[in-house]
Amino acid sequence: MKSKLSPLTWSRRGLLAALLSLGLLSACTGNEPPTTLRTGVARVLATQTAAWNRGDAAGFMAGYWKSDSLVFIGKNGLTYGWQRTLDNYRRSYPDAAAMGQLTFTSLRITPIGSDAAHVVGKWHLARPAAGNLQGHFLLVFRRIEGRWVIVADHSS
């Protein structure tokens, strides 16, 4: 049996279905108050900063998803995997003097669901002997098995 509805009516139905789906999805993401989510993500960044400033690259990497699916995008392109990312950090910053003292500023933590957020900010390495470095970053965080971890990092 053919429908007697015009194409315009079908378009309206499709639009209505899409809007309803979007509404349901957004209603499902409000489980955790944004301030609690932001606090959890900020805690990871503070822990990472402390580890870096101790010269502990592995401790810094504890804030990342320990998975081959972790992605790091930097000046040398894409790196996939937790271990490869750690190896790159160790190669680029072989000791505490090369690592320097890390600070994050201008942080904007934005929830993108109850178990996801992105962070935009600036990083700065104070390195008196080797010269200072700085840049910007975009991090994607997910809560996996109850822990906030970075699943994607684009740093420049």
Side-chain angles (χ1 to χ4, degrees):
M1 176 166 127
K2 282 192 166 181
S3 171
K4 295 186 186 219
L5 297 174
S6 72
L8 182 58
T9 303
W10 281 111
S11 295
R12 285 183 185 155
R13 282 186 175 181
L15 179 61
L16 180 60
L19 289 173
L20 286 173
S21 297
L22 183 60
L24 289 173
L25 284 174
S26 62
C28 294
T29 62
N31 296 342
E32 180 174 350
T35 54
T36 305
L37 182 150
R38 286 184 180 97
T39 301
V41 168
R43 188 175 302 122
V44 172
L45 295 170
T47 301
Q48 283 189 297
T49 301
W52 186 275
N53 292 340
R54 287 191 311 271
D56 180 4
F60 177 80
M61 286 295 297
Y64 286 86
W65 185 26
K66 199 166 188 176
S67 167
D68 289 339
S69 295
L70 167 70
V71 62
F72 181 93
I73 306 164
K75 66 179 181 177
N76 295 324
L78 294 167
T79 300
Y80 285 98
W82 186 91
Q83 186 62 52
R84 288 186 65 207
T85 301
L86 173 60
D87 294 344
N88 287 346
Y89 273 126
R90 286 183 169 157
R91 203 171 13 263
S92 298
Y93 306 99
D95 55 36
M99 290 176 79
Q101 294 295 294
L102 175 66
T103 54
F104 292 133
T105 58
S106 302
L107 295 176
R108 194 175 86 214
I109 301 170
T110 305
I112 52 177
S114 61
D115 290 322
H118 67 77
V119 181
V120 173
K122 296 179 183 179
W123 59 271
H124 183 269
L125 288 180
R127 305 181 325 158
N132 295 345
L133 297 173
Q134 63 186 1
H136 296 88
F137 61 85
L138 169 65
L139 307 172
V140 178
F141 275 82
R142 286 190 49 218
R143 185 173 25 207
I144 298 174
E145 296 177 4
R147 288 185 55 235
W148 284 105
V149 291
I150 299 164
V151 298
D153 178 340
H154 185 182
S155 294
S156 60

